[in-house]
Amino acid sequence: MIAFADAEVFEPADVHVARRLTALAGEDDESVALAVAFAVRALRSGSVRVDLRSVASQVGMPELPWPDADAWLAAVRGSALTGTPPVLRFHGDALYLDRYWREEQQVCDDVLALLQSSPAGEVPGLDRLFPAADYPEQRVAAEIALSQSLTVLTGGPGTGKTTTVARLLALLAEQAALENRPPLRIALAAPTGKAAARLLEAVHLQIGELDAVDRDRLPELTASTLHRLLQRRRGNSSRFRHHRENRLPHDVIVVDETSMVSLTLMARLLEAVRPDSRLLLVGDADQLASVEAGAVLADLVDGLGARDDVRIARLVTSHRFGAPIGALAAAIRDGETDRVIELLRESGPGIEWVDTDNPGERLRNVLLPHALRLREAAILGDAPAALATLDEHRLLCAHRRGPYGVRHWNRQVERWLTDVTGEPIWSEWYAGRPLLVTANDYGLQLYNGDTGVTIMRDDGLAAVVGAGAGPLEFSTSRLADVETVHAMTIHKSQGSQAQEVTVLLPDEESRLLTRELFYTAVTRAKNKVRVVGSEAAVRAAIERRVVRASGLGERLRASH
């Protein structure tokens, strides 16, 4: 294993865990320790398992002393680490750490158990809330949701997922009224506070368009993070007060941005859902997956979509973008590299391509005017104008550090501001500083992902944050978990939108450059997307997929 560590295949933590586990089990076979290190390494890249037969080709370093695959598998299968209680588990030739093997199997079992408890009862007519002429795809999705206790509702940005959710809730409330049941207990949740706030805001907006009788049947809706819904135990990040012996009380649970939910969090949610509840998992399976291990939404779409006894609710038609952005997003999603290049070269309305490896001057022409407009509104103390200006444009980067990273470009914009205004920025707080909230603060009603601007007031600087319930204003001294956001990572942008988006692609060799990253970035734009990067970077982005080794999809298929 020393040769692999020296070649920087592993992080020190991978080696430490492998050494510790093999020592505790009295295992002295180096090939077993190597397998454990690869299983731990897989988790860091988002995978829940590692295939020992293919890992050598994936790493791509044939000069390293790789064990023979058959002998390697035999050694690991015969190790004390696969005994009782097991530390390692196999599914076929794929190796898991025990915890993730159990969580994957539990998610599979709980998903199938929910699907087997299909809801009974009187089904109200769909014509009033889902007229076929106005909501053809959404009507089909509602029919599916009414027939299944668990529904996966997937679709790209602007395909009407929130419209479907709001009208489906009204339909379920009508069903409860027809059966003389108490008002529904409804939970709205998402992986992040920002996503939860956006979900609540969007659902309220759609409910406001319903008839008064439908609005009156629905309870007062709130939204929370999944962690808050499940009530995390103090001092334990993966165990909650709601579990299999203390289920959630809700009749209907809606989870938005499900693509961001890890395997572990999905396992905790499913074990806390009552068998007679309805669970609606909403998201875009083509977006970036969770930061932690697992690709649950994609696995559910893949695994359940292959069965003939389950239906996936799919929304296809986007109403958000102009045609060019929608076509570009679809071509990226479908891996049509030449079509993407063609659309970028045409640079029609809504699309601009800056084909360069040295984007500094072109980005200055975009970022500096936006920063100056933001500064002007802030100095005037015009909070609404400052927040509106902030949402006019986003620079999205794949990296945090380096020449393509948000830290570099945040500093660069501040240097440009100093050069133009002649006023050096001596402090992190200055008028016109765009803000990104980086941690949930339930006391202040601020959530990770909220954005705001520092503005001038008579008594000094204040921070105005565009929260879901409306702008909130604070003294800058009250905000600790914020950072400057002239530029934002693509991961952080999930769930947000801007009128215009500039996507800065890194060098084509960057391992972060993937189709899912590119698609997520492009679909943040409402009116215009500007892609900054070489043709080689564009092609690399489309041709490189996020590969997350997982067995949930095949477990769901095989169980049929």
Side-chain angles (χ1 to χ4, degrees):
M1 190 158 60
I2 294 174
F4 291 84
D6 290 344
E8 298 183 348
V9 172
F10 298 128
E11 295 287 340
D14 306 335
V15 177
H16 174 76
V17 172
R19 293 292 188 205
R20 180 67 174 158
L21 290 177
T22 51
L24 288 172
E27 175 61 69
D28 57 6
D29 189 327
E30 273 289 291
S31 70
V32 175
L34 184 66
V36 176
F38 272 113
V40 177
R41 175 182 181 268
L43 294 172
R44 285 193 294 102
S45 62
S47 296
V48 296
R49 67 182 193 176
V50 61
D51 187 335
L52 297 182
R53 289 194 182 278
S54 62
V55 68
S57 62
Q58 292 169 10
V59 172
M61 292 185 178
E63 69 277 10
L64 292 173
W66 294 97
D68 172 77
D70 289 333
W72 197 9
L73 281 164
V76 179
R77 290 185 191 278
S79 169
L81 289 170
T82 61
T84 305
V87 175
L88 302 176
R89 297 254 203 168
F90 278 96
H91 186 77
D93 288 339
L95 179 67
Y96 293 75
L97 294 178
D98 173 64
R99 167 186 165 181
Y100 295 94
W101 186 94
R102 286 185 290 105
E103 286 180 345
E104 194 173 89
Q105 188 60 51
Q106 182 220 309
V107 168
C108 177
D109 293 342
D110 286 344
V111 163
L112 296 177
L114 265 177
L115 287 167
Q116 287 166 8
S117 63
S118 294
E122 185 175 349
V123 177
L126 292 167
D127 290 340
R128 189 172 59 81
L129 285 163
F130 290 94
D134 298 327
Y135 302 101
E137 293 177 4
Q138 291 81 2
R139 181 188 177 103
V140 173
E143 290 172 346
I144 293 171
L146 286 171
S147 66
Q148 298 177 176
S149 291
L150 182 147
T151 302
V152 177
L153 173 61
T154 183
T159 52
K161 297 189 294 292
T162 308
T163 299
T164 305
V165 168
R167 290 179 173 266
L168 178 62
L169 292 178
L171 201 63
L172 293 172
E174 180 182 357
Q175 184 184 51
L178 289 172
E179 297 172 1
N180 294 314
R181 290 190 277 118
L184 291 178
R185 292 164 294 182
I186 299 172
L188 303 180
T192 69
K194 175 69 170 179
R198 285 184 59 84
L199 170 63
L200 182 62
E201 181 182 10
V203 168
H204 274 154
L205 192 65
Q206 293 296 327
I207 288 174
E209 298 181 3
L210 300 177
D211 293 341
V213 63
D214 292 308
R215 295 197 302 269
D216 292 344
R217 288 195 191 107
L218 287 168
E220 182 65 31
L221 297 175
T222 60
S224 71
T225 64
L226 281 168
H227 286 84
R228 203 171 197 207
L229 176 70
L230 295 170
Q231 297 183 27
R232 179 160 50 188
R233 289 178 176 172
R234 189 182 300 276
N236 192 320
S237 62
S238 62
R239 289 294 168 183
F240 300 87
R241 297 190 184 281
H242 287 290
H243 44 73
R244 211 171 294 282
E245 283 72 45
N246 181 29
R247 308 270 187 156
L248 290 164
H250 305 92
D251 305 300
V252 182
I253 300 169
V254 179
V255 179
D256 197 16
E257 299 287 358
T258 307
S259 64
M260 299 167 67
V261 178
S262 68
L263 175 66
T264 296
L265 189 54
M266 183 58 72
R268 300 291 81 80
L269 171 65
L270 287 167
E271 70 183 10
V273 175
R274 293 198 335 256
D276 59 343
S277 296
R278 291 179 184 270
L279 178 61
L280 183 61
L281 301 175
V282 185
D284 183 351
D286 297 305
Q287 281 192 187
L288 288 165
S290 62
V291 175
E292 300 173 58
V296 177
L297 180 61
D299 284 343
L300 290 173
V301 171
D302 175 49
L304 296 179
R307 299 169 63 102
D308 56 21
D309 60 338
V310 182
R311 297 171 70 192
I312 300 292
R314 304 177 192 267
L315 303 179
V316 178
T317 306
S318 178
H319 308 282
R320 175 182 299 175
F321 312 117
I325 296 178
L328 177 63
I332 294 170
R333 180 195 65 209
D334 297 338
E336 299 174 351
T337 306
D338 291 339
R339 176 61 175 156
V340 172
I341 298 296
E342 178 187 345
L343 289 167
L344 289 173
R345 282 184 176 148
E346 289 175 358
S347 290
I351 296 177
E352 180 183 347
W353 185 16
V354 181
D355 183 0
T356 178
D357 291 318
N358 187 20
E361 191 59 32
R362 294 294 295 273
L363 283 179
R364 185 182 192 275
N365 294 335
V366 175
L367 300 176
L368 180 56
H370 180 250
L372 288 170
R373 291 195 304 275
L374 201 60
R375 179 177 182 272
E376 180 182 10
I379 289 173
L380 293 173
D382 190 340
L387 291 174
T389 302
L390 180 64
D391 288 336
E392 288 176 3
H393 181 265
R394 289 276 192 281
L395 172 63
L396 301 182
C397 306
H399 293 256
R400 289 192 62 82
R401 300 175 180 83
Y404 299 99
V406 295
R407 291 186 178 181
H408 169 80
W409 289 102
N410 279 326
R411 288 195 301 268
Q412 185 62 64
V413 172
E414 291 174 344
R415 283 194 289 265
W416 288 332
L417 283 171
T418 295
D419 292 342
V420 169
T421 64
E423 297 180 11
I425 296 173
W426 300 110
S427 167
E428 65 175 354
W429 292 102
Y430 55 89
R433 180 194 181 193
L435 305 172
L436 176 70
V437 177
T438 59
N440 295 336
D441 188 325
Y442 295 106
L444 297 181
Q445 294 183 293
L446 294 179
Y447 301 103
N448 187 359
D450 282 343
T451 53
V453 184
T454 305
I455 65 171
M456 290 292 294
R457 289 295 188 225
D458 292 340
D459 55 351
L461 294 174
V464 177
V465 180
L472 301 173
E473 186 168 325
F474 305 94
S475 165
T476 57
S477 63
R478 299 184 67 190
L479 301 184
D481 297 308
V482 294
E483 59 186 40
T484 303
V485 69
H486 291 292
M488 174 188 280
T489 64
I490 297 169
H491 272 91
K492 283 282 189 182
S493 75
Q494 282 184 274
S496 67
Q497 304 167 40
Q499 298 297 326
E500 181 179 316
V501 162
T502 299
V503 183
L504 178 60
L505 297 180
D507 183 88
E508 65 267 24
E509 299 300 322
S510 169
R511 292 191 298 176
L512 294 181
L513 191 59
T514 64
R515 185 187 304 177
E516 291 80 2
L517 188 90
F518 195 15
Y519 172 81
T520 300
V522 165
T523 54
R524 299 310 93 202
K526 289 183 180 179
N527 299 325
K528 180 176 180 177
V529 62
R530 178 183 298 102
V531 176
V532 180
S534 66
E535 180 175 335
V538 171
R539 290 185 178 277
I542 298 163
E543 291 164 9
R544 186 182 294 123
R545 301 298 306 271
V546 173
V547 179
R548 291 202 164 190
S550 164
L552 178 58
E554 63 191 61
R555 288 184 202 244
L556 289 167
R557 290 192 299 273
S559 63
H560 182 39

